[in-house]
Amino acid sequence: MKKIFALLMTLMVIVAFATVTFADNGGFYESPSANQAPTLDSFENENEECEATLHITSYADRAQLSEEAQQKLAAAFDTILNATDLTTVNSELANLAKELGVVGTDLAVSDLFDISYHEEGDHSGHGAFTVSLNAETLKNFVAFLHYENGQWVLVEDAKVEDGEKLTFTVDTLSPFAVVVNTNPSVPGSDGLPVGAIIAIVAAAVAVAGGIAFLVFFLLKKKKDTANA
């Protein structure tokens, strides 16, 4: 009995540690460093003379960016990491979540990356970029955010086609974040998110541990009474 009790207590500690580890991801559904950067499908610039090319850099590859761009991406990362409710980072996202009936604490960033342009040729300036990206982190897509001037802005025209192509139009380029619903109620979802599964397992282990402790206590008390 002592061995069983010790085993259950060990499992409780392991699950509790796993739960804390998951919680440390903050507003991220998965660590952005585990994701590959989206690939560029196509883009257009409203200035027909613009010959700039776009470059997409994942958070994991941020060292390839300029120092200024790295600082922006790091600031964007910290803002998301410290958000237990993503609706607090942008009021328009909060309104959208309310319209969709999505709880703010169920929102998380599945992808964080930077988009920049490289000058090609001489022209009078850049216009708005209409961009189409291929990404594997768009399941249960809710919104697309743009980190601009130290704050997150909702990209209102962002939409997902065929479940893997994201299109949007922006005037400036810097860090972007894909926001998804980690606990969708729509039919056909793949089930509970990792956090919910860990919580359920933790609860089950805690109950089992409590029962084992109670049985151990009662048996010990019975034994002590018999030896009295």
Side-chain angles (χ1 to χ4, degrees):
M1 178 62 69
K2 289 183 178 181
K3 291 183 177 179
I4 295 176
F5 177 71
L7 177 61
L8 286 172
M9 291 300 294
T10 301
L11 288 174
M12 289 176 65
V13 171
I14 293 174
V15 172
F17 178 77
T19 304
V20 171
T21 301
F22 179 83
D24 284 344
N25 287 337
F28 290 103
Y29 187 46
E30 298 175 349
S31 171
S33 62
N35 297 325
Q36 298 296 318
T39 58
L40 183 63
D41 180 67
S42 63
F43 77 94
E44 295 180 359
N45 189 280
E46 65 177 353
N47 181 356
E48 296 180 355
E49 297 180 359
C50 176
E51 298 180 358
T53 58
L54 299 188
H55 290 255
I56 305 170
T57 306
S58 68
Y59 180 81
D61 296 328
R62 58 192 180 279
Q64 300 175 6
L65 298 170
S66 66
E67 184 175 348
E68 180 181 1
Q70 287 186 53
Q71 291 176 352
K72 287 182 180 179
L73 196 55
F77 176 88
D78 289 341
T79 302
I80 298 299
L81 185 65
N82 294 325
T84 56
D85 182 343
L86 275 190
T87 60
T88 61
V89 306
N90 178 267
S91 60
E92 292 177 324
L93 176 61
N95 293 335
L96 177 60
K98 185 176 181 180
E99 291 176 8
L100 297 175
V102 179
V103 179
T105 52
D106 284 339
L107 295 178
V109 168
S110 64
D111 208 353
L112 175 67
F113 53 91
D114 179 85
I115 301 180
S116 58
Y117 62 79
H118 288 203
E119 300 284 1
E120 298 287 346
D122 297 326
H123 54 80
S124 58
H126 300 290
F129 289 94
T130 298
V131 185
S132 178
L133 302 176
N134 291 314
E136 298 179 356
T137 53
L138 300 174
K139 186 174 181 180
N140 301 318
F141 174 85
V142 173
F144 192 49
L145 297 178
H146 180 198
Y147 193 71
E148 188 176 14
N149 298 323
Q151 61 183 0
W152 286 106
V153 178
L154 181 69
V155 181
E156 296 183 358
D157 72 335
K159 61 181 180 179
V160 173
E161 300 175 354
D162 301 324
E164 59 182 21
K165 184 176 294 185
L166 174 66
T167 61
F168 56 94
T169 301
V170 288
D171 295 321
T172 59
L173 301 173
S174 58
F176 290 89
V178 175
V179 179
V180 298
N181 181 4
T182 65
N183 190 24
S185 58
V186 295
S189 68
D190 283 345
L192 295 173
V194 176
I197 294 175
I198 291 177
I200 292 173
V201 173
V205 172
V207 171
I211 294 174
F213 178 79
L214 179 61
V215 171
F216 176 78
F217 176 78
L218 292 176
L219 290 175
K220 186 176 185 302
K221 184 177 182 181
K222 182 178 180 181
K223 182 179 179 180
D224 293 342
T225 301
N227 294 333

